[in-house]
Amino acid sequence: MIRQASRSEHEPNLGFELADALHWHPEPDTDLLFSNAMLQWLPGHRELLAGWLDELKPGAHVAIQVPGNFGSPSHAVMRQVADGAAWAQKLSGVLRHDDVVGEPEEYQRLLLQAGYQANVWETTYHQVMVGEDPILDWVRGTALLPVKAALDAEDYRRFEDDYRVQISAHYPSFTGPDGTKVTNFPFRRIFMIGRKLG
Ligand SMILES: C[S@@+](CC[C@H](N)C(=O)[O-])C[C@H]1O[C@@H](n2cnc3c(N)ncnc32)[C@H](O)[C@@H]1O
């Protein structure tokens, strides 16, 4: 993403830099800190965010979105399968829990206590998914990545099979208007906007 952005046509005052957010700090004159769907990957993101909020100057803005779906069946079923007798030994501690991302009020409190004006809300998008295993296809790019990293190829294929069998009951598919198979995939996201007072 960063490489493509650097190569794209863009305003001359824009620069792009790849960095590990775990070790990143805003420049003192930062006007806006924007983060989309990233904080959930950072262990201890609440403390990191509190540090960034502290470092920003008065008048600076933050705009952040995190997925609020770690308690949804797509993730809860994955944890159940991983905790089952067949996988517990190999996958112990690999998957994160449903509190990996906080509730909206937690982020609201964080912003307010850091001296920010806060506007926090959540939205559930009812995504229309297509294909035979749409939920599995989706989580392959996100929540399943740590499982894939922890297992060899054959075990990972077997884990996917176990997950596939269980997950379809939670997301029944039906026939859409043009005869294709469609599935509803509710996806909750948490948004926060803040401006530092003072
Ligand atoms: C769901 S994607 C969102 C990407 C992009 N922000 C967007 O909205 O399309 C999650 C992103 O978090 C990035 N990420 C995960 N851990 C990171 C870290 N420690 N430092 C920086 N980026 C990280 C991943 O590389 C990935 O691009």
Side-chain angles (χ1 to χ4, degrees):
M1 284 181 185
I2 299 295
R3 197 179 308 122
Q4 286 197 7
S6 327
R7 287 176 184 163
S8 68
E9 256 185 51
H10 57 74
E11 297 296 323
N13 63 342
L14 285 181
F16 300 90
E17 202 178 311
L18 187 60
D20 183 349
L22 284 171
H23 305 290
W24 177 86
H25 294 277
E27 298 289 334
D29 63 346
T30 300
D31 294 314
L32 167 68
L33 189 162
F34 172 82
S35 169
N36 191 55
M38 194 267 297
L39 284 185
Q40 76 280 3
W41 285 112
L42 308 183
H45 77 263
R46 294 158 170 88
E47 292 74 20
L48 270 177
L49 178 57
W52 297 341
L53 293 177
D54 189 45
E55 288 162 21
L56 289 172
K57 66 181 182 187
H61 287 79
V62 291
I64 296 173
Q65 183 271 128
V66 282
N69 64 338
F70 284 81
S72 66
S74 55
H75 289 59
V77 167
M78 198 182 295
R79 287 193 294 273
Q80 276 164 23
V81 175
D83 289 342
W87 296 107
Q89 211 180 341
K90 286 182 175 167
L91 293 177
S92 163
V94 164
L95 286 175
R96 295 165 302 163
H97 296 279
D98 55 359
D99 62 352
V100 68
V101 165
E103 290 300 312
E105 53 267 38
E106 196 180 331
Y107 297 108
Q108 182 194 57
R109 179 188 286 249
L110 213 119
L111 283 164
L112 292 173
Q113 288 186 330
Y116 284 68
Q117 208 175 44
N119 183 7
V120 181
W121 73 98
E122 64 176 84
T123 297
T124 299
Y125 296 90
H126 285 269
Q127 300 183 173
V128 178
M129 312 290 279
V130 293
E132 279 308 307
D133 294 306
I135 312 303
L136 174 60
D137 286 345
W138 179 280
V139 296
R140 273 186 185 133
T142 59
L144 269 178
L145 291 174
V147 177
K148 191 173 188 182
L151 298 177
D152 65 34
E154 176 55 20
D155 274 350
Y156 177 67
R157 197 191 54 73
R158 288 178 39 237
F159 184 90
E160 275 201 357
D161 286 345
D162 291 352
Y163 177 75
R164 180 188 287 112
V165 167
Q166 300 219 21
I167 199 65
S168 52
H170 295 271
Y171 298 95
S173 56
F174 53 95
T175 306
D178 55 358
T180 54
K181 191 171 164 179
V182 293
T183 306
N184 167 256
F185 184 33
F187 201 115
R188 177 181 180 233
R189 293 185 179 274
I190 298 168
F191 299 82
M192 62 203 87
I193 290 177
R195 186 175 67 84
K196 193 165 188 172
L197 301 170

